[in-house]
Amino acid sequence: MVRDRQLRAARLLKERRLACAVFADPASTVYLTGYVPPVETGPSPFEGGPPLVVLTADGGALLIVSDIEEPAARGRATVDEVIAYRAYSPSENLPREDGYREALMQALDKARFRGGALGIEGAVPHHATAWVAQVFRGAEFTSVSECLNPIRMVKDSDEVAAIRKAADISVAGQRAVRQLVRPGLSEVELFAAVRGQMEQAFGRRLPVLADLVSGPRSAEVGGAPSSRTVGEGEVVLVDLVPCVDGYWGDTCVTVFLGPAPEAELRQAHRVVVEALQKGIEAVKPGMTASELDAIVRGHVRKFGYDYPHHTGHGVGTTWHEGPRIVAGDRTVLRPGMVIALEPGVYVDGRFGVRVEDLLLVTESGAEVLSHHDKSLIVP
Amino acid sequence: MVRDRQLRAARLLKERRLACAVFADPASTVYLTGYVPPVETGPSPFEGGPPLVVLTADGGALLIVSDIEEPAARGRATVDEVIAYRAYSPSENLPREDGYREALMQALDKARFRGGALGIEGAVPHHATAWVAQVFRGAEFTSVSECLNPIRMVKDSDEVAAIRKAADISVAGQRAVRQLVRPGLSEVELFAAVRGQMEQAFGRRLPVLADLVSGPRSAEVGGAPSSRTVGEGEVVLVDLVPCVDGYWGDTCVTVFLGPAPEAELRQAHRVVVEALQKGIEAVKPGMTASELDAIVRGHVRKFGYDYPHHTGHGVGTTWHEGPRIVAGDRTVLRPGMVIALEPGVYVDGRFGVRVEDLLLVTESGAEVLSHHDKSLIVP
């Protein structure tokens, strides 16, 4: 629950002897408050900067937002106080930054910050920190960027519920891929229809990260949908990562358009499906991320293939976080971690194949959160 | 052209006695380099921060991007040098911020920054400025946030060309609205189909800001498409703002589903269409934004209505910029400015009506960049 996450983050501040810290990454805002800042159209020209979370070492949490975001923030955030600044009005030409940093000063005051060490997470705008430095002459900033990463890896039950929903939406997208894909559609046309199905399933717009590449483009591992027309006898690789209420889902399939894929494509697809299955069966609390990478990648290598990317990654308030399922990550898997596994095979100039499931690490193994048809042929 | 914009921005630095400045807003990156940073899925967990532009008072320009963005940046940016840092690799666990700030130090070195005053545009991550402050003991940061606003108002010919394309895409979306809207569709279903048509017209995904509200929701001025089903005898208000190659287009229509809108709705629609037309005819270089507001708003007020928002706004690398077409903005209109005009009428609990065109201020008046059917009835 949000309050548990605030307390967990507060303990991190205490360990670093910080009485207070300011977080600016939207992923941290979701994690620490439950409020989901909009991202799809970039920084708002109406606002002084991204929403800020001021957290104290005793677990106090304040959220700074513009008055435009205020209603949504009040509806969603679990914090001691939402502090809103006036961002824009048709009758005044407000210097947006003034309101923003006044709100930050107000929050620091309520957080009883009196100078000294202040944690700062990366994207706090400089005009705001400069103002703090000027008012609190003795303020010393210290980066707490990425400090939440370790605690974010193991999800709370409300986070798992949110990710389940995101996985369901991603799976709805994969269902739409099978229903809609056909030769003659462009990649972007297929993508738009698939995203539309995901948004309809959810009832609102969704940020969506996606690879959608067809034919020889699929050998390039990923890429945004283009105007390329999908042809008969080609593969289409579709990786769908929608953000549902601040948490991301992640699945991938590769489908073939036609009745008779060539033998090597059939084998490559069989190998990656097997590798994924072996990974799912191998997941156990106590094993390391690197051991899991070796099992999945090892199966693909046995057939003379490999993939130039990670075997998988954690998923949460960002679309990619710890643990990284790579050779170099010794993180021990623990119940409550949510990981995506996505082995692939890519044959230059010809085709690429990837399949991906989203898993919850449980006490005894893994629960698959994504149940989508991963077969190669579209009937 | 990009080089002209760099020189224009460099003159601003000179006026402020700054030898060098760092810009972090994606809108500034587009304006100063031509490279369009992706925004749709929020800050990338692979990167140390947003792309940065380092600009010198003699017009030198450097662009800092991750190696993930590097190919796109090299393809699009007009700068003296693209400096790429390693952001993520499956074989190493790189501290992303280290590469980011090393790239910034490298850029400052190439820009011959040796300490002293350094301009900073808002969103430069604090870990990077802190590093600069540590290396250059005498560095003094000064905010240059919003300093580009005045020069951004008058567009270069390449910018006008880009906005024309964005206006065309927005108009393609409005055509799709008329073709697709029908009772029984949900707002989000309609929106997804409309955005799909815009993306197909462009051949790639597009960031899109949009209002899509139906029935009594339209009286709320704006809002994201919801799961609400559009009904017979209702209005649908659709404001479409797609970003095409870094520049935004902006149009709005209100359509009625059925043969016989009530008299007050018909009148409200007629009044806003007339107000928009009066605004288009009134635009002349030399008039102020506030005079234009008075003409458009004045026409609506003559009929006992008003709207609780601006009459319009500039459009460019942000979806809202100067001049603001409001009572308090004395900015003098000049050829090359691009403005959206969007009068409306909103009747609580019943309906809202708004129409919007995108205009280029010319030597003698205004050229309408958006030619879309603004009639109330969908045949």
Side-chain angles (χ1 to χ4, degrees), chain A residues 231-255:
Chain A
E232 175 83 21
E234 290 186 348
V235 296
V236 188
L237 186 161
V238 187
D239 199 326
L240 296 174
V241 193
C243 183
V244 178
D245 286 334
Y247 285 81
W248 299 80
D250 194 352
T251 67
C252 186
V253 298
T254 308
V255 294

Side-chain angles (χ1 to χ4, degrees), chain A residues 139 293 356 371:
Chain A
D293 175 73
E356 180 176 29
H371 293 283

Side-chain angles (χ1 to χ4, degrees), chain B residues 43-66:
Chain B
S44 164
F46 291 150
E47 284 150 16
L52 297 177
V53 182
V54 173
L55 191 80
T56 66
D58 56 10
L62 300 132
L63 175 62
I64 298 165
V65 293
S66 74

Side-chain angles (χ1 to χ4, degrees), chain A residues 296-317:
Chain A
V296 178
R297 194 180 296 273
H299 185 77
V300 173
R301 282 187 176 161
K302 239 192 332 199
F303 293 86
Y305 298 117
D306 202 350
Y307 39 94
H309 55 70
H310 51 236
T311 289
H313 54 90
V315 172
T317 63

